[in-house]
Amino acid sequence: TTLYVPRDSAALAVGADEVAAAIERETAARGLSVRLVRNGSRGMLWLETLVEVQTSRGRVGYGPVAPEDVPALFEAGWLQGGAHALALGVVDELPWLQRQQRLTFARVGLTDPLSLADYEAHGGLLGLRRALAMPATEVVQQVTDSGLRGRGGAAFPAGIKWKTVAAAAASHKYVVCNADEGDSGTFSDRMVMEGDPFVLVEGMTIAGISTGATRGYIYVRSEYPFAVRTLREAVDIARTAGILGPDVLGSGRAFDIEVRMAAGAYVCGEETALLESLEGKRGIVRAKPPIPALSGLFGQPTVINNVITFASVPIILARGAAFYRDYGVGRSHGTLPIQIAGNVRRGGLVELAFGVTLRELLVDWAGGTVSGRPVKAVQVGGPLGAYVPESKWDVPLDYEAYAAMGAVVGHGGIVVHDDTADLSRLARYAMEFCAIESCGKCTPCRIGSTRGVEVIDRITARAGTAKAEQVELLRDLCDTMLAGSLCAMGGMTPYPVLSALDHYPEDFGLQPADAA
Ligand code: SF4
C-alpha cells in the first residue's frame, strides 16, 4: 500500500513530518509494510495534513490528520480506504479539485516531486522534447501565440521578452527565474518549487534553448529553505539524467541551472534589483532602459520571468499554443493559480482560467470567513494591491478589467478581511511597509512613504477642516508616488492607501464626501 504525506511547507507547518513519523511507528508496531511518498500539497490547506491512501477506488484522503489520529485511522482500516470521521473520499473527485483547470499545477500534490519517472509518467518532458524538435524561433512563436503573460505581476507578454533576447547578439545570455515570492498571502511559486520542481527546470530549459542562453539562475527568497533544498536536488537529478548540462537530452545544446538563495529584501522581487543582488551587489533598482532583455545579468541579454510563467511553458509546448490560449478572457489568456488567504474558511490554491470573479472565489471557493463575520475588504495582488470593495466583486479577474478599476491582479494573491478590519490601519501599514522595504533610490518612495505614515496618523487624529487638509495632502502625496517612483514599490503603494480611503472613508473618521 502506498500512502502520501505532503512535504510542502504549509503541511510541515501543521505537523506533516510528525504525522509521517507516527505512520512509520504504527506500521512497524503492526508489522505492516507500506510505501510512504512525500508528495506536494493539493492546495486544500485547511485539510493539511492531508494523507492519501492508494486504494482500488483511487487515492482516498484523510484530513486534517494529527499524529494522535494515526492509531485510530489504522484501526478504522484506512489502508483499505475505511470509514473514519476524517475520511474525505477519493481526493481527485473532491469538488475543490474537480472544478479547477489545473494546467500549471497538473502534477502538484499528485506526484513524488523528486521522482523523474513520476514526472515523465504524468506528462513531464513532453514540452522540452517537442521544443528540441522544432526551430528555436518556432518555440518562441508558440510562447507568443499562447498569450502567456508574466505571472509575477507585471503581465508583460513572455514571448515578446523571449524574442528580444533571442534576437540580441551576445557572447553570453542568461535565463533568470524570479522566485522571490515576497507578496503577503502568496504561495503559488513555493508550491511549484516544493511540489513539482522539474516543471520549472523544464520551463527554464525551454527558455534557454530557444533564446540561446546557456545558463540559468533561480533566485529564491531565503524564507523558503525547503524550496531551495528541493530545487537543488531536482537540478542535480536533472543534470545526472542529461536534461541539464552540455548536451540537453542529446540535442547538442547546452543549458544548466544554479539555485541562489536571496537575503530577505522585498524589493529584490523587482527584476532589476534582483539582477543586482544576483551579481553580488546590494539590491537596488536599476533605471530602465536598458531593459534586462538587452542588458540584464552581468550586462548580457537576459530572460527574466517568474516561477509560474516558466512553469506554464512546458504545457504550452506539449499541447500547443492554441490549447493554452483558449482559456481565459480578453487579453488575459490561460490560467492563473489563485492563492486564497487571510480570514477564510477554506484557504489554498485554486488554478482557474482568467474571468472568474472575486465573489465566486469568496463564496464558492473560500466559503466565507473563518470568523463567520461578513467580508469587508479583499486585497488582491499582494501588499501593494488595492482593496476591492463588494461593489466590484463581480468584475472578472482579468488584467485589463482590474486595471480599469484601479486595481491589479498581480501575482494572484487574495487576502480577505472581515468587518472588524480597520482600513485606516491597513492603509497606514502599506505606507509603513514601503518605508521599511524601499531601496532608497528615488525620493517619492524613500521619503514619501515615511511622510505617508505621518499624514495618515494626522488624518485619524484630527477633526473638521484640519482633517480634510490632511486628506488632500495624502492624495497629493499618492499622486507624486504614483507618477514619480522609479519602480512598482513606490509606484503601487498608493493602491491600497487610496482604495482604503475611497471605499472605506468611515474608517478614517470621514463622511464619504470628505474623503474625495
Ligand atoms: Fe527604490 Fe522605492 Fe524608488 Fe523602487 S520606488 S526604486 S524601491 S526607492
Side-chain angles (χ1 to χ4, degrees):
T1 309
T2 305
L3 276 100
Y4 295 83
V5 180
R7 52 183 285 159
D8 180 278
S9 295
L12 296 180
V14 292
D17 275 347
E18 289 74 16
V19 171
I23 290 171
E24 275 168 351
R25 269 198 311 276
E26 201 60 28
T27 49
R30 289 167 183 264
L32 299 167
S33 130
V34 300
R35 182 172 154 253
L36 203 59
V37 174
R38 303 302 302 269
N39 57 334
S41 170
R42 296 277 199 158
M44 299 179 283
L45 299 185
W46 74 100
L47 292 177
E48 297 294 1
T49 300
L50 169 63
V51 181
E52 296 176 51
V53 182
Q54 183 73 59
T55 73
S56 53
R57 285 188 289 141
R59 274 160 67 164
V60 175
Y62 295 84
V65 176
E68 53 273 23
D69 297 323
V70 170
L73 285 161
F74 275 96
E75 282 304 313
W78 73 335
L79 295 187
Q80 290 76 43
H84 184 275
L86 297 176
L88 302 161
V90 175
V91 174
D92 285 327
E93 292 169 6
L94 295 177
W96 175 278
L97 286 173
Q98 272 213 325
R99 291 165 52 218
Q100 295 188 40
Q101 284 114 13
R102 285 201 169 201
L103 306 182
T104 308
F105 273 71
R107 275 174 302 264
V108 178
L110 200 62
T111 54
D112 176 347
L114 290 173
S115 163
L116 205 48
D118 217 1
Y119 182 65
E120 284 203 71
H122 289 84
L125 294 183
L126 210 62
L128 177 58
R129 290 210 164 91
R130 293 201 57 186
L132 286 167
M134 55 175 90
T137 48
E138 175 58 20
V139 178
V140 175
Q141 195 58 46
Q142 288 277 321
V143 175
T144 308
D145 292 347
S146 74
L148 178 67
R149 292 162 73 177
R151 295 284 186 260
F156 188 80
I160 293 180
K161 204 181 258 190
W162 290 27
K163 197 173 175 180
T164 310
V165 175
S171 58
H172 288 83
K173 295 181 189 177
Y174 297 101
V175 174
V176 173
C177 174
N178 184 347
D180 195 52
E181 187 175 46
D183 284 355
S184 44
T186 64
F187 42 85
S188 59
D189 293 354
R190 182 185 58 67
M191 283 184 66
V192 165
M193 293 188 284
E194 294 179 352
D196 193 19
F198 292 125
V199 79
L200 178 55
V201 169
E202 186 179 349
M204 289 177 70
T205 307
I206 295 171
I209 55 127
S210 62
T211 58
T214 51
R215 187 143 196 94
Y217 291 92
I218 310 176
Y219 184 90
V220 192
R221 70 188 306 226
S222 59
E223 294 86 341
Y224 285 176
F226 296 108
V228 169
R229 198 186 305 162
T230 309
L231 283 172
R232 287 195 170 137
E233 281 182 51
V235 165
D236 284 347
I237 293 167
R239 198 178 291 127
T240 306
I243 298 163
L244 294 174
D247 185 17
V248 173
L249 290 177
S251 64
R253 287 188 256 182
F255 188 72
D256 213 334
I257 292 175
E258 192 179 314
V259 180
R260 289 281 185 89
M261 196 191 257
Y266 179 77
V267 78
C268 288
E270 198 282 334
E271 59 181 15
T272 61
L274 187 157
L275 294 174
E276 288 283 301
S277 175
L278 257 189
E279 291 179 8
K281 301 177 200 151
R282 193 176 134 197
I284 295 187
V285 174
R286 294 178 188 166
K288 285 191 273 195
I291 54 169
L294 294 174
S295 177
L297 189 62
F298 302 113
Q300 302 299 317
T302 303
V303 172
I304 177 164
N305 279 129
N306 162 262
V307 173
I308 301 297
T309 319
F310 284 125
S312 302
V313 168
I315 195 161
I316 291 170
L317 270 297
R319 305 287 297 266
F323 165 81
Y324 191 80
R325 191 184 180 86
D326 276 353
Y327 290 91
V329 286
R331 286 172 48 218
S332 301
H333 297 285
T335 57
L336 181 70
I338 299 156
Q339 303 123 88
I340 303 175
N343 191 337
V344 287
R345 276 185 55 217
R346 296 191 292 264
L349 186 120
V350 184
E351 183 177 350
L352 292 168
F354 284 95
V356 62
T357 68
L358 213 44
R359 196 180 301 279
E360 289 170 315
L361 289 166
L362 295 171
V363 177
D364 302 348
W365 296 91
T369 60
V370 72
S371 63
R373 304 183 66 91
V375 176
K376 176 173 177 177
V378 187
Q379 190 173 30
V380 183
L384 309 181
Y387 287 99
V388 180
E390 187 170 358
S391 59
K392 310 277 190 205
W393 288 356
D394 296 309
V395 174
L397 209 65
D398 156 24
Y399 293 120
E400 278 64 42
Y402 262 58
M405 65 171 184
V408 288
V409 172
H411 185 48
I414 287 174
V415 178
V416 178
H417 297 270
D418 75 7
D419 63 351
T420 60
D422 176 346
L423 272 290
S424 74
R425 285 184 52 208
L426 292 171
R428 184 187 193 277
Y429 173 70
M431 285 291 190
E432 214 183 344
F433 179 75
C434 181
I436 294 167
E437 297 292 345
S438 169
C439 85
K441 178 136 175 169
C442 68
T443 315
C445 169
R446 186 182 70 245
I447 307 288
S449 51
T450 299
R451 294 289 93 87
V453 174
E454 296 163 1
V455 178
I456 293 172
D457 282 344
R458 288 201 294 270
I459 293 176
T460 45
R462 292 183 186 174
T465 46
K467 198 180 190 79
E469 272 171 22
Q470 296 301 314
V471 171
E472 203 184 324
L473 204 56
L474 180 61
R475 288 193 179 278
D476 266 1
L477 177 64
C478 284
D479 269 356
T480 306
M481 290 176 74
L482 276 166
S485 298
L486 190 57
C487 84
M489 176 88 231
M492 280 180 56
T493 296
Y495 279 63
V497 174
L498 293 174
S499 57
L501 193 61
D502 288 341
H503 304 303
Y504 307 91
E506 60 286 354
D507 286 8
F508 295 79
L510 295 159
Q511 300 297 321
D514 300 333

